[in-house]
Amino acid sequence: MTGGLACWHTYGDWFSVHDAAADGAHVEVRWQSWGRSGTCIASGNGDYQKCDYDLKEGYQIKWYLEIWNGGTCVRGEYTTDCTDDVAVCI
């Protein structure tokens, strides 16, 4: 499992998620903010996804970038509360 990249973009409230390798695994971002939550998935094999959300302004978002092989999380990175653009690679 080579890894993945995810970015949170505050202008427009969206994630970009990229699976960095065609290795059979996939990349997920799980997020929470102000009573809402969701998952953005790049399905594997070098896939890229853009997931748009309309979140309440002025509140922090907490999110996790994870690599999954089938139903098993094989690696993860926790990004604490943020209100600015953030990029994470694993």
Side-chain angles (χ1 to χ4, degrees):
M1 267 64 48
T2 305
L5 167 70
C7 298
W8 168 246
H9 306 270
T10 56
Y11 185 77
D13 297 342
W14 61 282
F15 281 105
S16 57
V17 181
H18 181 229
D19 182 326
D23 59 6
H26 70 275
V27 178
E28 294 186 8
V29 167
R30 292 182 301 115
W31 62 271
Q32 319 171 358
S33 180
W34 188 245
R36 291 182 57 197
S37 62
T39 304
C40 183
I41 299 172
S43 61
N45 299 324
D47 186 36
Y48 170 86
Q49 290 296 319
K50 177 181 177 183
C51 300
D52 289 306
Y53 302 101
D54 184 18
L55 300 179
K56 192 169 181 122
E57 299 299 322
Y59 290 90
Q60 295 178 329
I61 184 168
K62 183 182 295 185
W63 56 283
Y64 307 82
L65 174 62
E66 299 171 332
I67 296 177
W68 288 78
N69 189 6
T72 303
C73 180
V74 295
R75 194 168 41 202
E77 180 71 31
Y78 169 72
T79 300
T80 191
D81 297 333
C82 59
T83 53
D84 294 319
D85 291 358
V86 175
V88 175
C89 299
I90 59 172

